[in-house]
């Protein structure tokens, strides 16, 4: 399904970034959108309940909180082994995004952890699975862009 | 990058971060509700949130939307080979300027994997993505690249900072 209501679309465009930090943020936003505060709140609650809004809150910069991150690629030669390897990765709360991809390296996941040591530990445990033939640890060395808003679009494709 | 390391965060700061990374109360006075839970004043909560937004500790504040539900059904990781170190930044910044490139990083090369620029791109369908990538290649002059499509999402979560201590990694 997709969103087609014009007011909902305007709301979605407005609430994805720079949510007001003040006592009555919805009232302030409602003024900009020229709707009532109660109507805005009701629409936002409804979009949240429908799951169009996945979460409403802050996205933190992991590095500023003292965390480190990386992107890891695994080579799993037999496709039937992928669910098991994916599950082994997913057990770690540090693994935030995990995608099966069409490539020799066919499982790609992001890790955000408190230390480089912890990241190394997780990678070596996953790489030691018999069904995993290869591993690449690909920490970002330079960042040119993390999600500018283009409207409306999800953000959390994986900050690592 | 040293504006506010984890070391300078108090227990109260961490408790507030744990709440802000969940769902903000969808109520007329959400910050007052949070303050009540933490035993802080509303102004103390607002002051911290403003400061973290200003410092970039909070990268973005607002709603995360499921993009598949608002029209962008295809996304792809495209990796590019840019050998010349002087070119890497130029091309990285050029790609960053594309509206539908949401993430752009430089990462190390590995054995049999010469690609070092990573872009995440979004589009309506695969044809749309192919066109976008062709345009990026033409604009940058980089011809050695690879589209790495995702075929299944096994996990997609928001990181929960200061709460991963209960990790099940035995």
């Amino acid at each position: 399904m997709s969103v087609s209501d014009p007011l909902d679309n305007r709301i979605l465009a407005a609430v994805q970034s720079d949510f007001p930090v003040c006592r009555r943020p919805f009232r302030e936003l409602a003024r900009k959108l020229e709707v009532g505060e109660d109507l805005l709140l009701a629409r936002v609650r409804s979009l949240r309940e429908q799951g169009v809004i996945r979460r409403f809150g802050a996205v933190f910069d992991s590095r500023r909180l003292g965390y480190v991150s990386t992107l890891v690629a695994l080579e799993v030669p037999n496709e039937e082994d992928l669910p098991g390897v994916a599950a082994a990765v997913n057990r770690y709360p540090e693994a935030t995004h995990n995608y099966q991809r069409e490539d020799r390296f066919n499982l790609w996941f992001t890790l955000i952890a408190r230390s480089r040591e912890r990241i190394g530990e997780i990678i070596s445990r996953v790489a030691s699975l018999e069904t995993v033939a290869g591993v690449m640890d690909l920490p970002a060395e330079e960042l040119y862009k993390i999600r500018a808003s283009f409207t409306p679009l999800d953000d959390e494709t994986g900050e690592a | 990058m040293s504006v506010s390391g984890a070391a300078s965060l108090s227990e109260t700061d961490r408790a507030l971060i744990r709440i802000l990374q969940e769902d903000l109360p969808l109520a007329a006075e959400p910050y007052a509700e949070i303050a009540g839970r933490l035993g802080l004043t509303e102004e103390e909560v607002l002051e911290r949130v403003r400061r973290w937004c200003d410092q970039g500790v909070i990268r973005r504040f607002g709603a995360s939307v499921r993009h598949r539900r608002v029209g962008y059904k295809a996304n792809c990781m495209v990796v590019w080979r840019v050998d010349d170190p002087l070119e890497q930044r130029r091309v990285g910044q050029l790609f960053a300027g594309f509206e539908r490139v949401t993430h752009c990083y430089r990462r190390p090369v590995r054995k049999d994997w010469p690609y070092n620029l990573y872009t995440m791109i979004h589009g309506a369908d695969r044809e749309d993505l192919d066109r976008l990538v062709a345009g990026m290649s033409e604009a940058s002059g980089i011809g050695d690249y690879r589209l790495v499509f995702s075929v299944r999402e096994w996990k997609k979560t928001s990181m929960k900072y200061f709460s991963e201590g209960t990790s099940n990694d035995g």
Side-chain angles (χ1 to χ4, degrees), chain A residues 68 113-124:
Chain A
V68 288
R114 294 215 198 205
S115 66
R116 194 59 219 172
E117 288 69 34
R118 177 66 181 151
I119 281 184
E121 188 181 303
I122 296 171
I123 292 176
S124 65

Side-chain angles (χ1 to χ4, degrees), chain A residues 1-3 12 15-26 37 41 44-45 48 50-67 70-71 82-83 86 89-105 107-108 112 114 118 121 125 136-148 150-160, chain B residues 1 3-6 9 14 17 20-31 42 46 49-50 52-53 55-72 77 88-89 92-93 96-108 110 112-113 117-118 120 122 126 146 148-164 167-170:
Chain A
M1 87 154 234
S2 60
V3 180
L12 283 171
V15 296
Q16 287 190 72
S17 59
D18 302 323
F19 184 69
V21 183
C22 60
R23 289 193 58 236
R24 309 231 359 211
F26 290 101
E37 181 185 21
L41 260 170
V44 169
R45 284 193 196 111
R48 177 75 183 87
Q50 291 167 48
V52 176
I53 293 177
R54 188 157 57 81
R55 194 172 72 85
F56 201 107
V59 177
F60 288 89
D61 182 331
S62 59
R63 292 156 306 163
R64 300 280 178 121
L65 297 180
Y67 281 70
T70 193
L71 174 69
L82 272 166
V89 169
N90 289 355
R91 282 191 308 127
Y92 295 99
E94 289 93 343
T96 58
H97 297 68
N98 187 6
Y99 292 95
Q100 185 174 328
R101 295 188 179 276
E102 284 175 350
D103 201 274
R104 177 163 72 89
F105 288 95
L107 197 67
W108 293 71
I112 302 179
R114 294 215 198 205
R118 177 66 181 151
E121 188 181 303
R125 284 194 202 175
M136 298 193 291
D137 176 11
L138 302 163
E141 295 176 328
E142 196 160 14
L143 191 161
Y144 303 107
K145 187 179 198 176
I146 292 188
R147 187 249 184 218
F150 89 58
T151 321
L153 177 63
D154 194 350
D155 142 342
E156 295 167 74
T157 317
E159 176 211 348
Chain B
M1 232 1 85
V3 176
S4 176
L9 294 168
R14 289 173 193 227
I17 289 168
L20 293 173
Q21 68 190 351
E22 303 290 340
D23 267 316
L24 192 77
L26 298 180
E29 299 183 354
Y31 302 105
E42 186 179 25
L46 285 169
V49 175
R50 282 193 197 109
W52 290 338
C53 287
Q55 291 174 344
V57 173
I58 292 177
R59 202 154 56 71
R60 189 171 68 75
F61 196 41
S64 296
V65 174
R66 277 183 229 271
H67 54 87
R68 280 169 198 276
R69 303 182 74 161
V70 285
Y72 296 101
M77 183 176 79
Q88 289 160 3
R89 179 163 297 172
Q93 287 169 350
F98 280 74
E99 193 196 17
R100 288 195 288 146
V101 172
T102 53
H103 298 68
C104 183
Y105 299 90
R106 181 168 61 79
R107 301 182 186 278
R110 297 292 184 228
D112 303 326
W113 190 264
L117 278 188
Y118 287 66
M120 192 61 67
H122 297 260
R126 285 204 180 193
R146 194 169 172 124
V148 190
F149 282 99
S150 66
V151 286
R152 180 158 181 177
E153 179 184 294
W154 287 100
K155 189 178 190 181
K156 180 174 182 175
T157 53
S158 301
M159 180 60 190
K160 303 293 181 215
Y161 296 101
F162 307 121
S163 46
E164 75 278 28
S167 150
N168 167 26
D169 60 357

Side-chain angles (χ1 to χ4, degrees), chain B residues 29-47:
Chain B
E29 299 183 354
Y31 302 105
E33 276 197 37
I34 291 173
R37 276 191 247 164
L38 292 171
L40 295 173
T41 65
E42 186 179 25
E43 198 41 52
E44 285 171 322
V45 168
L46 285 169
E47 185 275 321

